[in-house]
Amino acid sequence: MFEQNRVEVLVHTEFGRIPARKLLDCIFALSPDGPILHHHLEEVDVSEELGTTLYTINGSAPLSERSRCQIIPPVVPAFPILD
C-alpha cells in the first residue's frame, strides 16, 4: 500500500503542492476544494526533494486501459499534513 511516514505531494497545475498517496499505479491527491483527485503514473513525473516524493503532472494522457480503473482511494486521514 503506502508507507505511513513518507510524505508524498502532487504538484498540481492549479492547486500547487497538495497531499498525495500512491496506491499501485494510482496517485490520489487531496484537493483544497474537497474531491480526491485520481491520476496514474504515466501522467506524472516522479522525483525526490528533501525526503518528500513529488508527483508532478506532466500533461500525458492516461493509458486507455485506465478507463476501467477501480482502485478505491485512501481515506482522508491517510494523506500527509503539509506545512
Side-chain angles (χ1 to χ4, degrees):
M1 286 218 144
F2 53 84
E3 189 178 322
Q4 287 289 349
N5 297 327
R6 183 82 182 154
V7 176
E8 298 172 276
V9 172
L10 176 70
V11 182
H12 192 274
T13 51
E14 181 181 344
F15 302 124
R17 291 180 178 219
I18 55 177
R21 282 291 180 211
K22 178 181 175 281
L23 296 171
L24 302 174
D25 287 343
C26 299
I27 308 297
F28 294 100
L30 192 57
S31 72
D33 58 359
I36 294 177
L37 306 177
H38 183 180
H39 294 282
H40 294 98
L41 282 177
E42 63 273 12
E43 298 177 77
V44 300
D45 295 324
V46 182
S47 61
E48 295 283 324
E49 180 184 276
L50 301 171
T52 298
T53 302
L54 299 177
Y55 305 107
T56 304
I57 294 179
N58 62 21
S60 296
L63 300 173
S64 60
E65 59 265 25
R66 302 288 194 200
S67 64
R68 297 185 307 267
C69 182
Q70 295 183 14
I71 301 295
I72 298 170
V75 294
V76 171
F79 290 92
I81 298 171
L82 302 178
D83 295 331

